[in-house]
Amino acid sequence: MKRFFNELSKENQELLLSIGLEISASSGTFLFYEGDFPENVYLIRSGKVRLSKMTADGKEFSVHLKQKDELVGEVGLFNDMSISVTAEVIEDSVLVKFERSSLEEIFRKNGEIAVAFMKWFARHTQSTQAKFRDLILCGKTGAFYSTLIRFSNSYGLKTEEGILINVQLTNQDIANYIGTTRESINRMINDLKKDNVIKVDKGYILVKDIEFLKNYLHCGDCPVEICTI
């Protein structure tokens, strides 16, 4: 899996870290809110940060779950628009905090860092577009299957039984990623369990037959970086 920071040379990794401030953020910390004009961008060194939006009727819609070596708040670079998501730390994290102006300056001066960012940002944008395509064209069931595949690609561990999603998820968590109700997720999970496609243990999902999910969606051969959460 290609992520922004690990595409840089060792020299440029050190250069980038030298202009930031390493901080710790406990679970439940909000880095910024939807509608803010944040002056900082964050690089995740460990932990996880969830990006979400509020719908018109006040429901939370989860957009991304970011992890090690990814940036948070990068959409505020090189523009003066407010940010469109809320960023919440959902697992105790170590972050590198950059001033937006400092990061923009190093992108202007260092071609390798700038190109690595553009490549990662392009993949990130394609992933978001593909996610909404699945939601719009494949309905709630397709969006649910797509979300399971994306979690498997981003956080999956291969086991003898299948792919273990190494993130503890409640049914409400999953519902928030596809804009549906917890009850709908309960029903779809039970259907997949009956068909021996998945197994759930203490909030951890084991995908036993990922091909079943892919066949439903008529998945093509898109790069795994595009099919992430």
Side-chain angles (χ1 to χ4, degrees):
M1 186 74 68
K2 296 177 181 178
R3 298 190 177 92
F4 167 66
F5 190 70
N6 57 28
E7 285 200 34
L8 300 177
S9 66
K10 185 68 175 177
E11 179 183 1
N12 278 328
Q13 286 181 350
E14 293 174 356
L15 174 62
L16 189 65
L17 294 176
S18 71
I19 67 167
L21 173 67
E22 186 171 285
I23 62 173
S24 297
S26 57
S27 179
T29 300
F30 288 88
L31 302 179
F32 49 78
Y33 294 91
E34 184 176 356
D36 284 352
F37 291 84
E39 290 300 320
N40 298 298
V41 178
Y42 302 86
L43 172 68
I44 303 174
R45 302 297 284 143
S46 66
K48 298 179 182 68
V49 177
R50 180 174 59 211
L51 304 185
S52 63
K53 292 179 66 68
M54 293 300 291
T55 64
D57 54 359
K59 295 179 181 178
E60 183 182 39
F61 182 81
S62 298
V63 181
H64 289 290
L65 183 60
K66 297 208 174 186
Q67 59 179 301
K68 178 177 166 59
D69 293 335
E70 294 187 313
L71 293 172
V72 178
E74 76 287 344
V75 292
L77 292 169
F78 299 105
N79 70 69
D80 296 319
M81 296 185 293
S82 64
I83 206 150
S84 59
V85 292
T86 294
E88 180 186 4
V89 177
I90 64 163
E91 178 181 290
D92 291 349
S93 301
V94 176
L95 311 170
V96 179
K97 179 180 178 181
F98 301 100
E99 291 185 2
R100 190 179 71 174
S101 58
S102 298
L103 206 54
E104 290 175 348
E105 185 63 22
I106 202 170
F107 285 171
R108 292 189 183 97
K109 292 181 176 179
N110 188 299
E112 187 202 22
I113 296 177
V115 168
F117 172 76
M118 287 188 289
K119 286 181 177 179
W120 173 79
F121 191 77
R123 289 194 298 267
H124 192 267
T125 301
Q126 285 182 283
S127 176
T128 302
Q129 291 172 343
K131 188 185 308 179
F132 283 108
R133 177 201 63 205
D134 292 342
L135 178 59
I136 294 169
L137 299 182
C138 301
K140 299 298 184 184
T141 299
F144 172 52
Y145 290 4
S146 171
T147 298
L148 290 179
I149 294 170
R150 291 172 183 279
F151 266 108
S152 297
N153 288 339
S154 297
Y155 296 99
L157 301 175
K158 289 186 177 180
T159 71
E160 291 183 357
E161 290 187 90
I163 301 173
L164 176 66
I165 297 174
N166 194 30
V167 178
Q168 200 168 24
L169 296 166
T170 67
N171 289 359
Q172 186 61 59
D173 290 334
I174 300 171
N176 288 347
Y177 278 97
I178 61 178
T180 191
T181 63
R182 185 180 67 250
E183 291 75 19
S184 294
I185 296 298
N186 292 343
R187 177 182 54 77
M188 289 188 283
I189 283 179
N190 286 331
D191 288 344
L192 290 181
K193 287 164 68 176
K194 288 176 184 176
D195 291 335
N196 203 33
V197 177
I198 65 170
K199 182 168 72 175
V200 182
D201 183 24
K202 298 177 181 178
Y204 291 94
I205 298 174
L206 175 70
V207 180
K208 303 175 72 175
D209 186 1
I210 198 165
E211 291 304 317
F212 176 92
L213 307 177
K214 290 182 176 180
N215 289 339
Y216 182 92
L217 293 166
H218 304 289
C219 284
D221 297 320
C222 58
V224 67
E225 288 87 3
I226 305 302
C227 191
T228 60
I229 200 68

